[in-house]
Amino acid sequence: MRKIVRRSRSTFSPLELRGSMLPGYWSSLSILRSACSISVEARILIPLLAEPEHCATSNSNRLRRRTSVWPSRWRFERLKIATMAGVAQHSQCCQWSVEQILSEAESEPRTVDVYAAKIEPKLANFIIRELNVKAPLPSLGHVKRIRRCGTQGALELSVILCPVNEAGTSEDAVMPTCVSELVDKHGLQPFIISVSEKPARTREEWEVQCQLWPTSFHPNAGKAELEELDQAAVHSMCTFMQMAVQVAHLARGYGQPGNGAIIVDPGLGAVVAWGYDGTGSCCSSVNFGSHSSATVPIKGSGRDPEEHQNSPVMASIETMLSSEPILERGSNTLFKVLKSPECFETHGNNSETDKHTGSKKFTGRQFLGHGLHPLRHAVMAAIEMAAARDRRLFPTDRISKCRPDETEFEDIPVSSKKHRSVEVIGDEHRARLASSTENMTKTDPFEISRPYLCTGFDIYITREPCAMCAMAMVHQRFRRVVYGVPNTLDGALGSRYRLHGKPTLNHHYTVFKVSISEETLL
Amino acid sequence: MDGTLSSDVVTFMHLAVEEAKKALARLEVPVGCVIVENGKVIGSGSNRVNETRNATRHAEMEAVDMILAPWTPSECPEAGSIKEQLTKKFGECELYVTCEPCIMCAAALAILGIKKVYYGCGNDRFGGCGSILPLDTDGCGGCGNSSSGEDDGDSAKRRGFECVGGILADEGIALLRGFYEQGNPNAPRPHRPVRAQDSSLAD
């Protein structure tokens, strides 16, 4: 361990690590982002590096910031445990592969016809300039205007003149006058050729396209949605999916449908919330009369169910975690992580909950007896927990104070993304100011960056979500959705619908599928 | 269109509009909803997304949970499983909402097996009753199904619901328009500068 640390210290100075956790520095430290969220080794070393003695070079002010914004030491321990759990499970999950589910179904590559002509290489510059002015091709921005088609030695160039007007019948009528003038002037001999209609989304598509006519391909440019993942990213994805699988196993242990979800802050590389299916209805054996003792986790745990009525989700989680047989069952390390305060204290503050439950509406949040609710799919449960965490970490009333006590926020794991906004809440009404993190660098680092819902977070689900859950994730603003087993009947992210391809939605996430099998969830 | 509807429908939709106004008063997106069983309102709710930081807390979900909270399944064996009892319960309920249910809510209502949905204005961005996806006719079977689909014949259980739109649509739209004109104070505004920093930090 020490060895790793020493080697890495030359790469990551303590200052950088400290900075990486401060909202404003985030964007400039992408290398650290990848270190935090992806690399297993890096995540182990960060806690060690961030110990105060390694920050001796920081001035006192920086140190203050560090201690207040960085998680305290015990949280590093948990991060470490989380990582270890991932490593321990790696043997299984490294068998998995990851595939991106694009927002449009694979379709036959479509082409459009255009006029092209061979030109003298000497005239190329002139003609291209003329054409770009007189006959631009706005709909074919991905197509290269000029093609080199030389056969051994002799350089031959062809240019695209203009699209073939499909409505036109005779060839003379379809070419715009400006183009035909150019054709006449240089004695060009137009011919018709097909080019691909849409930009390539994958490298494979691009290679096919280029056989027709060269096009350009930008894997990570705005419009091309395909994200190229490196090995570390794939590994990280599989590791988190493994955790979701363990949550599914846990649910299964309670006679619930085997489906689990975890919400990950990629900045911290840590699980911030999780949930499992609590519908109880997909198991055909579930019948109130006969199963009550089998599926009631509360029983035997020595806890009074009434005590937790105000936050039944959390109650069921707590009961579940305190249930010894279950802890012995799966990976202990994971549940130590899950049990840890960061995930867990979301409900610890009862007054917060009480405030809401005082109103009649919030009693509606209670679930049916035995933790069941017909709509409590894994995703919904996880979102509920993330929302509870959000309410606890960023209580509405306190954020109006411009600088909270350091101690007060000592335990808050705050990560920030470039596009995550800051919200400052007024005393009486939901106010007003928001800021990009660029501004954060210039302003108060204690201005807590409250994420808007789950902006920038990733969610891992063991099964393809239904339309309800898929839309819930749109509403909650997830960055990325990673699911496991496809759901041919009701899956909304590739199987039955492709919700993330609906252009009218106000938010779009990217979707990945990890190739886990049904058996994995049993 | 209103002329062909019974006065009851309009009355219940007015109640939904009243619910929506409650949301507006809390600076939430003003959508309101009531659920009616046999001519009696048994559940109502309005948007609580900002308050809960949970974007799934739409009016429909709030109203459904208001019904589910006090509901206890019958322990009598003839009553069937919890799911059957729930389906029976919601199979007698009609829901009135001021704006077309979104895809999430429409799917949720299909999962619950609601009998009929009346809505006000359409939602051409994420409406789930035909505008973007037709969950009212497609139905939704939930997340639990495996790829093999052999689980207790779920395809047979999937069902949609009746859906009637355009009731008091103008009032539903007027509420939303009023809200968005004043601006959603909780929406992210990434390009606004934050006020000057506290100088005490610099020491």
Side-chain angles (χ1 to χ4, degrees), chain B residues 13-14 17-18 21 98 167-176:
Chain B
M13 190 59 87
H14 273 298
V17 170
E18 287 309 308
K21 286 177 182 164
T98 53
I167 297 142
L168 299 183
D170 294 344
E171 297 202 26
I173 289 177
L175 277 166
L176 290 169

Side-chain angles (χ1 to χ4, degrees), chain A residues 93-260:
Chain A
C93 66
C94 66
Q95 312 282 323
W96 298 339
S97 64
V98 175
E99 133 188 41
Q100 183 169 2
I101 309 294
L102 298 172
S103 58
E104 280 173 44
E106 296 289 322
S107 56
E108 281 297 300
R110 299 225 303 228
T111 59
V112 285
D113 289 345
V114 294
Y115 284 112
K118 283 185 182 164
I119 56 168
E120 284 286 317
K122 272 187 280 181
L123 294 171
N125 265 343
F126 174 78
I127 291 179
I128 291 288
R129 211 175 298 136
E130 288 276 293
L131 282 170
N132 281 340
V133 172
K134 289 178 176 168
L137 299 171
S139 62
L140 295 173
H142 58 287
V143 177
K144 298 198 169 164
R145 191 99 203 199
I146 195 157
R147 177 178 69 168
R148 180 196 293 258
C149 49
T151 49
Q152 276 116 30
L155 176 67
E156 273 185 27
L157 296 178
S158 304
V159 295
I160 294 177
L161 298 171
C162 63
V164 173
N165 187 350
E166 287 170 19
T169 44
S170 81
E171 287 198 10
D172 298 330
V174 292
M175 215 180 281
T177 31
C178 55
V179 176
S180 50
E181 277 171 12
L182 204 71
V183 167
D184 293 342
K185 187 174 164 194
H186 300 286
L188 303 178
Q189 294 181 321
F191 55 91
I192 293 176
I193 194 166
S194 297
V195 300
S196 60
E197 186 187 19
K198 293 256 170 74
R201 295 172 305 171
T202 64
R203 200 166 283 281
E204 292 74 34
E205 269 186 29
W206 176 61
E207 281 162 7
V208 172
Q209 282 188 358
C210 288
Q211 289 169 7
L212 295 169
W213 184 279
T215 58
S216 50
F217 175 56
H218 304 289
N220 288 319
K223 280 185 180 172
E225 62 168 324
L226 193 82
E227 291 183 25
E228 298 204 336
L229 302 172
D230 59 16
Q231 199 54 45
V234 168
H235 172 233
S236 156
M237 242 180 215
C238 292
T239 304
F240 283 124
M241 181 55 83
Q242 181 65 42
M243 291 188 187
V245 167
Q246 289 175 33
V247 174
H249 286 165
L250 197 69
R252 196 96 192 163
Y254 287 112
Q256 301 287 352
N259 194 15

Side-chain angles (χ1 to χ4, degrees), chain A residues 364 373 434 442 490 497 504, chain B residues 65 125 138 158 192 197 201:
Chain A
H373 187 293
K442 289 173 259 159
D490 292 294
Y497 310 112
T504 54
Chain B
D65 279 357
R125 296 189 70 188
D138 286 3
R158 192 185 300 110
R192 291 275 301 276
Q197 69 188 75
L201 267 175

Side-chain angles (χ1 to χ4, degrees), chain A residues 64 403, chain B residues 197-203:
Chain A
R64 273 179 69 201
R403 189 162 74 91
Chain B
Q197 69 188 75
D198 188 343
S199 56
S200 66
L201 267 175
D203 53 26

Side-chain angles (χ1 to χ4, degrees), chain A residues 228-493:
Chain A
E228 298 204 336
L229 302 172
D230 59 16
Q231 199 54 45
V234 168
H235 172 233
S236 156
M237 242 180 215
C238 292
T239 304
F240 283 124
M241 181 55 83
Q242 181 65 42
M243 291 188 187
V245 167
Q246 289 175 33
V247 174
H249 286 165
L250 197 69
R252 196 96 192 163
Y254 287 112
Q256 301 287 352
N259 194 15
I262 61 168
I263 296 175
V264 171
D265 181 337
L268 286 176
V271 177
V272 297
W274 55 289
Y276 62 87
D277 198 304
T279 60
S281 55
C282 293
C283 301
S284 47
S285 61
V286 170
N287 178 293
F288 190 84
S290 61
H291 84 290
S292 54
S293 60
T295 57
V296 183
I298 289 165
K299 189 167 181 177
S301 70
R303 289 179 186 274
D304 180 8
E306 296 296 311
E307 184 188 323
H308 291 292
Q309 220 171 23
N310 289 337
S311 60
V313 195
M314 300 312 164
S316 62
I317 288 168
E318 185 170 1
T319 328
M320 183 175 71
L321 288 168
S322 63
S323 169
E324 291 303 320
I326 297 300
L327 270 178
E328 280 164 14
R329 195 173 168 260
S331 153
N332 287 357
T333 41
L334 170 64
F335 295 117
K336 273 178 204 153
V337 177
L338 293 179
K339 202 178 176 180
S340 63
E342 181 185 313
C343 301
F344 197 52
E345 282 173 10
T346 48
H347 69 106
N349 188 346
N350 275 339
S351 62
E352 184 261 343
T353 319
D354 288 343
K355 190 179 72 190
H356 293 302
T357 44
S359 76
K360 196 182 171 190
K361 291 298 176 191
F362 263 70
T363 58
R365 305 289 292 285
Q366 291 178 25
F367 297 108
L368 300 178
H370 317 292
L372 299 182
H373 187 293
L375 302 179
R376 199 181 166 209
H377 294 180
V379 169
M380 305 299 272
I383 288 177
E384 172 100 27
M385 183 170 177
R389 172 182 178 271
D390 191 8
R391 291 196 300 270
R392 179 183 162 267
L393 294 186
F394 306 99
T396 312
D397 308 314
R398 283 190 290 171
I399 292 183
S400 60
K401 311 289 174 276
C402 78
R403 189 162 74 91
D405 272 3
E406 288 184 15
T407 51
E408 196 178 344
F409 285 89
E410 195 177 1
D411 288 347
I412 299 176
V414 181
S415 79
S416 182
K417 307 227 74 80
K418 204 167 154 187
H419 50 275
R420 207 184 271 175
S421 71
V422 179
E423 210 162 331
V424 182
I425 305 298
D427 286 289
E428 243 93 52
H429 58 286
R430 305 287 186 127
R432 332 194 325 87
L433 284 176
S435 162
S436 66
T437 47
E438 282 84 71
N439 291 318
M440 290 294 296
T441 56
K442 289 173 259 159
T443 53
D444 192 344
F446 289 105
E447 201 76 67
I448 292 301
S449 160
R450 178 181 141 196
Y452 181 68
L453 303 171
C454 287
T455 303
F457 288 0
D458 299 344
I459 184 165
Y460 293 76
I461 320 133
T462 55
R463 293 176 187 276
E464 183 180 357
C466 68
M468 176 179 74
C469 296
M471 192 63 201
M473 293 183 292
V474 173
H475 286 316
Q476 199 71 13
R477 303 286 206 277
F478 283 99
R479 178 188 80 148
R480 182 184 275 176
V481 175
V482 185
Y483 71 79
V485 181
N487 176 350
T488 45
L489 293 171
D490 292 294
L493 298 179

